[in-house]
Every structure is written in structure tokens, then in C-alpha cells.
């Protein structure tokens, strides 16, 4: 290769790249492909440059601060559209911006995919099922969603984005993927994002009360981030997987109280549980049926909850000791 040779044969755009999942995705893509470049886009609303600090030195990684509610004119070959705050605390902080991010962001990224003839994946969510009347949730289930509640900016935004993805696919023959992500956890979650796993671990490490909302009998199914990212890349690269949405998550379902007990045990914490008011429209249960991902691209999660939690606890423990700027902002 001469000095001027283009080092890659594919440029992959990742929106939401400074967030929890986006930063893991960029790291995995760069680690497993020698022939790609990453264009990482984020407006740093809920993500942080701390998550991509080590990547910024990488020769095939470029960061662009940009809000996806505005059009983006770049040349790319593949798009992972992850931009959108995922934690209820963050997405409810500015609900109008959340809805715009999902809807205008999808329109802008789909328009970009259309012009550049790129394959495009949408990070959708189990929230499209709302408070489900059936369990486990299969992709065929249309959901039970409140259109006007405090979670609606996120749920309905993601549902509208799915509609746009399938309309662009039918109307403009775009190569699309829609991934319904169930609760995912792991290192690089923002310490201040208010999600249950990060909250409980930080509270336990500080021996502070564990804040269980409601009576803690609501269920969630927690997927470790490495498994989730493998599923995301598997879905993007499975040509047969575009015609329908695909659930990616861990079907091991537990109550929020059980999660609190496991975190207390794994951290050896002295924390006691504090029961607080359940937020509006909080779904009672959530558990993915992952048979479609299994049959299409042989994906299933491998990391046990205790193993994934132990790794996440180590991450937050080190973060609490190091006290970087990201944590000071959280205090
Ligand atoms: P996150 O909040 O850590 O990351 C989202 C990133 O998007 C942040 O870096 C944020 O700054 C950026 N962003 C937000 N609005 C933007 C905008 N208008 N323009 C550009 N960037 C913007 O959340 P996450 O957990 O990494 O989630 C990533 C994606 O996966 C989201 O689309 C989310 O809805 C979806 N998802 C995540 C989970 C989960 O459990 N982590 C579950 C379901 C769906
Ligand atoms: N939750 C809790 N305590 C917390 C944070 C969350 O009991 O400090 C509960 C929340 O009410 C929900 C579940 O944990 O039932 C998962 O919440 P999270 O915000 O992580 O994600 P969600 O699945 O609700 O989007």
C-alpha cells in the first residue's frame, strides 16, 4: 500500500456513538475489521466523550459532534442508527427532543441511506410492546402502548421510527434492519443515567439505600452488552433478517427485587432496600422471545447475569475510585 492508499474499503456510520451501546459497537467493529473506518456521530446529550476517549487516537475512527435531528451529508456504506437517550430519566428530561430524535433522526438517516445506498440498522426497543399483555414478547405482538403518557415520547418515537424503516424499505427498496433491544447493561453505562442496574450497583458500592420503585415485583430480562453487540452485528450482516423486526435480549427474566438482592450479594454491600413510588406506565413484565434471532443467524446470549454483573460492578468500583469528570458530573 502506498502512503496515499485509502486504508479502508467501507465506512460505517454509528450514530449515538458516545453512548453506552454505541461506544461498545465502535470498539467491537474496529477490533474485528481491519478494512473499515468508523464515522462516529453524537450530540453528547446522554453520552460522553469519556466512552470513546481511547478510540479518538485510532487512525480509522473519526468523531463528529452532530445532532441527528439535522440532516447529515457524508459518504458512508453502512449505518447503525443508535442516537437516542435510552434511560427514562434522560428521555423524559426533554421529551419533545426525544421524539424529534427518533422521528427526525430516522428520516435524516434513512434519507442518507437512500442517497448513499447504505444498509441501515435501527436500534429499536422492547418499549414498542409497552406494558405487554403477553409474555414472552414475540415480534408479531403489536404491543400495548399509552400514546400520551410520560414514556410515550420514547415508545411512540421508536414505533414511528420502525414505521419509517419499513416504509423506506417498501417504497425505496432500502436494505434495512430493525432490532428490538431489551434491557442491556454493562461497563460504560453512564453513572448518572438512572437505569436500574447502574443505580443499584452505585448505591450498593456506596452502602446507600437501594431504590426499588413500587414493590419490586415488576420483571425485566437483562442482557450483557457483549452479547447484545454480537447480536447487533449478526443482525446487520444477516441478509435474510431485514423483512421483519428482530428481538435481541436475554430471556432470563427476574424481578427488580431479585436484582437488588443479587447486586447486594455480589458487592457485599450493607445497603437496605428503600421502596419508592412506581413511575407512571412502568411496564409490569418484559421478556424476549429470541427464537427468530436464533433461527436467522444462530444468536443467543452467552453471559450469565452474575458474570455480567460482576464485570459491571468492577467497572463502577474503579470509576468511583478514579473519580473522573464523568462521575463528578453525576454527583
Ligand atoms: P445512551 O443514552 O447511553 O446512548 C445514546 C447516545 O445517543 C448518547 O451518546 C446521546 O448523546 C446520543 N444522542 C441522543 N440524542 C441525539 C441526537 N439527537 N443526535 C445525536 N446523538 C444523540 O443509550 P444506549 O443505552 O447506548 O442506547 C443506544 C440505543 O439503543 C438507543 O437508540 C436506545 O433507544 C436503544 N436501546 C437501548 C437499550 C438499553 O438497554 N441500553 C434498550 C432498548 C433500546
Ligand atoms: N427501577 C427501580 N429503581 C431504580 C431504577 C429503576 O426499581 O433506581 C425499576 C423501574 O421502575 C423499572 C425497572 O427498574 O421497573 C427497569 O428500569 P430502567 O429504568 O432500567 O429501564 P426500563 O426497562 O424501565 O426502561
Amino acid at each position: 500500500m502506498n502512503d496515499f492508499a485509502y486504508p479502508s474499503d467501507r465506512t460505517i456510520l454509528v450514530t449515538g456513538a458516545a453512548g453506552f451501546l454505541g461506544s461498545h459497537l465502535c470498539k467491537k467493529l474496529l477490533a474485528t475489521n481491519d478494512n473499515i473506518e468508523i464515522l462516529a456521530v453524537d450530540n453528547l446529550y446522554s453520552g460522553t466523550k469519556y466512552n470513546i476517549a481511547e478510540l479518538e487516537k485510532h487512525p480509522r475512527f473519526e468523531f463528529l459532534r452532530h445532532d441527528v435531528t439535522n440532516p447529515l451529508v457524508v459518504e458512508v456504506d453502512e449505518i447503525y442508527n443508535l442516537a437516542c437517550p435510552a434511560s427514562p430519566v434522560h428521555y423524559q428530561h426533554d421529551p419533545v427532543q426525544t421524539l424529534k430524535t427518533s422521528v427526525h433522526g430516522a428520516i435524516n438517516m434513512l434519507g442518507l441511506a437512500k442517497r448513499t445506498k447504505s444498509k441501515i440498522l435501527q436500534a429499536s426497543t422492547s418499549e414498542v410492546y409497552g406494558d405487554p399483555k403477553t409474555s414472552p414478547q414475540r415480534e408479531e405482538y403489536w404491543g400495548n402502548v399509552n400514546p400520551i403518557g410520560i414514556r410515550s415520547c420514547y415508545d411512540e418515537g421508536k414505533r414511528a421510527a420502525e414505521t419509517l424503516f419499513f416504509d423506506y424499505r417498501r417504497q425505496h427498496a432500502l436494505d434495512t434492519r430493525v432490532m428490538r433491544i431489551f434491557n442491556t447493561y454493562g461497563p460504560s453505562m453512564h453513572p448518572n443515567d438512572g437505569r436500574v442496574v447502574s443505580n443499584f450497583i452505585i448505591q450498593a458500592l456506596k452502602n446507600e439505600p437501594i431504590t426499588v420503585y413500587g414493590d419490586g415485583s415488576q420483571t425485566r430480562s437483562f442482557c450483557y452488552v457483549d452479547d447484545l453487540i454480537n447480536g447487533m452485528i449478526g443482525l446487520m450482516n444477516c441478509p435474510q433478517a431485514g423483512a421483519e423486526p428482530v428481538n435481541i435480549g436475554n430471556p432470563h427474566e427476574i424481578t427488580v427485587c431479585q436484582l437488588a438482592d443479587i447486586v447486594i450479594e455480589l458487592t457485599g454491600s450493607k445497603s437496605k432496600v428503600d421502596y419508592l413510588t412506581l413511575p407512571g406506565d412502568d411496564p409490569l413484565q418484559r421478556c424476549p422471545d429470541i427464537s427468530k434471532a436464533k433461527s436467522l443467524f444462530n444468536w443467543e446470549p452467552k453471559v450469565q447475569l452474575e458474570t455480567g454483573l460482576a464485570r459491571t460492578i468492577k467497572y463502577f468500583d474503579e470509576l468511583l475510585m478514579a473519580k473522573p469528570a464523568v462521575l463528578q458530573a453525576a454527583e
Side-chain angles (χ1 to χ4, degrees):
M1 191 194 298
N2 67 44
D3 286 345
F4 302 103
Y6 193 60
S8 67
D9 59 19
R10 208 155 35 112
T11 300
I12 301 181
L13 170 63
V14 176
T15 77
F20 164 48
L21 297 182
S23 56
H24 278 275
L25 175 64
C26 293
K27 284 172 199 161
K28 179 78 180 190
L29 288 171
L30 284 171
T32 49
N33 297 273
D34 288 335
N35 58 342
I36 58 152
E37 293 212 350
I38 300 274
L39 177 58
V41 161
D42 204 295
N43 69 350
L44 303 181
Y45 174 79
S46 56
T48 158
K49 287 186 95 178
Y50 181 77
N51 282 342
I52 50 168
E54 67 184 73
L55 288 177
E56 293 210 76
K57 295 174 210 128
H58 197 292
R60 289 181 285 110
F61 180 88
E62 184 181 357
F63 177 71
L64 176 65
R65 190 165 179 157
H66 173 82
D67 188 318
V68 295
T69 61
N70 298 311
L72 179 65
V73 182
V74 288
E75 302 309 316
V76 293
D77 304 290
E78 218 169 76
I79 303 171
Y80 287 86
N81 187 36
L82 274 62
C84 185
S87 133
V89 173
H90 282 160
Y91 71 65
Q92 289 166 21
H93 175 70
D94 188 348
V96 173
Q97 170 68 8
T98 299
L99 194 62
K100 281 186 185 170
T101 292
S102 279
V103 177
H104 295 193
I107 291 170
N108 288 327
M109 292 309 115
L110 286 161
L112 176 62
K114 185 177 161 216
R115 183 179 64 74
T116 55
K117 299 187 172 47
S118 300
K119 184 163 56 165
I120 178 167
L121 179 145
Q122 167 67 358
S124 190
T125 170
S126 54
E127 295 279 329
V128 301
Y129 302 121
D131 192 8
K133 300 280 186 212
T134 164
S135 197
Q137 290 84 56
R138 293 168 54 83
E139 289 88 347
E140 290 71 25
Y141 180 53
W142 289 355
N144 175 39
V145 178
N146 178 358
I148 57 167
I150 56 170
R151 295 176 83 103
S152 311
C153 59
Y154 183 74
D155 302 9
E156 296 290 20
K158 290 287 189 179
R159 285 168 68 94
E162 286 200 7
T163 306
L164 284 160
F165 267 69
F166 282 93
D167 280 335
Y168 267 78
R169 186 178 178 87
R170 283 185 289 260
Q171 196 174 333
H172 299 298
L174 246 64
D175 193 4
T176 54
R177 305 282 183 277
V178 170
M179 170 178 185
R180 291 186 179 155
I181 303 172
F182 284 66
N183 296 67
T184 303
Y185 69 98
S188 303
M189 294 183 88
H190 198 290
N192 198 27
D193 83 2
R195 280 182 269 193
V196 68
V197 173
S198 45
N199 270 9
F200 284 7
I201 291 178
I202 289 173
Q203 289 160 350
L205 287 172
K206 291 178 161 180
N207 291 311
E208 289 174 356
I210 304 283
T211 55
V212 168
Y213 301 157
D215 64 6
S217 63
Q218 68 272 35
T219 69
R220 293 294 185 272
S221 309
F222 297 99
C223 185
Y224 188 65
V225 63
D226 289 357
D227 284 333
L228 191 284
I229 297 300
N230 286 338
M232 188 179 283
I233 295 171
L235 173 59
M236 181 62 124
N237 290 294
C238 175
Q240 298 77 30
E244 297 161 285
V246 178
N247 288 340
I248 300 285
N250 191 319
H252 176 59
E253 184 181 11
I254 61 167
T255 66
V256 166
C257 272
Q258 285 172 315
L259 177 70
D261 290 343
I262 298 169
V263 169
I264 290 172
E265 195 185 318
L266 289 176
T267 50
S269 174
K270 297 187 183 64
S271 295
K272 298 276 176 269
V273 170
D274 203 359
Y275 293 92
L276 305 180
T277 311
L278 188 68
D281 291 339
D282 200 289
L284 280 179
Q285 56 179 352
R286 207 178 283 143
C287 179
D289 180 318
I290 57 165
S291 45
K292 195 182 277 188
K294 263 189 197 166
S295 68
L296 279 169
F297 47 98
N298 198 25
W299 177 84
E300 60 184 329
K302 303 250 182 315
V303 181
Q304 300 289 321
L305 182 63
E306 280 75 5
T307 308
L309 283 175
R311 292 180 196 163
T312 314
I313 289 166
K314 183 170 180 289
Y315 169 79
F316 279 116
D317 199 19
E318 287 169 4
L319 197 69
L320 285 171
M321 306 262 220
K323 279 200 167 279
V326 64
L327 195 64
Q328 281 154 24
E331 285 177 341

